Amino acid sequence: MLDNVKQMLLKHEGMRTFPYKCSEDKLTIGIGRNLEANGISEDEALYLLENDIKRVTANLDKMWPVWRTFPEKAQLVCIDMTFQMGITGFMNFRQTRALMEMSCWLEASEEVLRSKYAIQTPNRAAYNSRQLALSKQHEQDKGTTPK
């Protein structure tokens, strides 16, 4: 019976993958999910997050594959910034990325703080800047600092 219910609701509601206003002017998504009345569950939010992380890392792999060679803290910064501003926004950080490619972690961390991003989201930018600075220490601890 569940399959019949799904087919019926899909036929009557349709499927939309972007939010829209239904006939009752309620923000809706998917197959008639009234976001204003029902929102989403924590499980649904975590499912969406997993998909978003996969999308972000796939975009980074396609557009800037060198990010995978960085210390973990620097990789997390790449993911966080791309998650927040999209791959196009992150790719606009040309100077920061060039410094990261040269393992100039302190300089890259300072460059993050000189950006519009740091003005718009100062706490997040400060955190990511610190993580880049700590990437230098990570390389020193592992003995992988470039000569």
Side-chain angles (χ1 to χ4, degrees):
M1 180 159 161
L2 182 58
D3 285 339
N4 289 338
V5 171
K6 286 180 185 179
Q7 287 177 353
M8 176 189 67
L9 291 175
L10 185 56
K11 178 182 175 185
H12 293 160
E13 297 282 346
M15 181 189 301
R16 300 218 193 151
T17 58
F18 287 90
Y20 66 97
K21 292 286 189 166
C22 73
S23 60
E24 295 296 318
D25 202 36
K26 303 289 184 188
L27 188 61
T28 307
I29 195 166
I31 303 167
R33 168 67 68 92
N34 179 338
L35 291 172
E36 293 175 27
N38 300 314
I40 61 174
S41 70
E42 285 186 25
D43 285 343
E44 290 166 326
L46 291 172
Y47 177 79
L48 292 173
L49 176 62
E50 277 191 40
N51 287 337
D52 289 343
I53 292 167
K54 289 175 187 173
R55 178 184 41 80
V56 164
T57 57
N59 284 338
L60 282 165
D61 288 341
K62 180 180 178 185
M63 300 297 294
W64 199 45
V66 71
W67 81 281
R68 291 275 189 185
T69 66
F70 299 156
E72 183 176 336
K73 288 182 185 305
Q75 289 184 32
L76 291 172
V77 168
C78 295
I79 292 168
D80 187 58
M81 291 177 71
T82 303
F83 186 91
Q84 182 181 8
M85 62 187 75
I87 191 66
T88 302
F90 180 69
M91 295 306 289
N92 285 332
F93 279 72
R94 289 175 186 85
Q95 184 63 28
T96 302
R97 290 186 308 101
L99 291 164
M100 292 170 77
E101 287 181 22
M102 295 184 290
S103 296
C104 297
W105 304 114
L106 290 175
E107 294 85 349
S109 75
E110 292 166 357
E111 191 66 25
V112 166
L113 295 178
R114 286 192 284 270
S115 68
K116 182 178 175 184
Y117 162 66
I119 294 167
Q120 293 174 329
T121 54
N123 293 338
R124 195 169 189 170
Y127 176 84
N128 282 330
S129 173
R130 179 76 178 132
Q131 296 309 298
L132 288 175
L134 290 171
S135 294
K136 179 179 178 76
Q137 183 62 45
H138 172 80
E139 282 189 340
Q140 289 172 341
D141 292 345
K142 294 247 182 205
T144 59
T145 304
K147 308 280 190 264

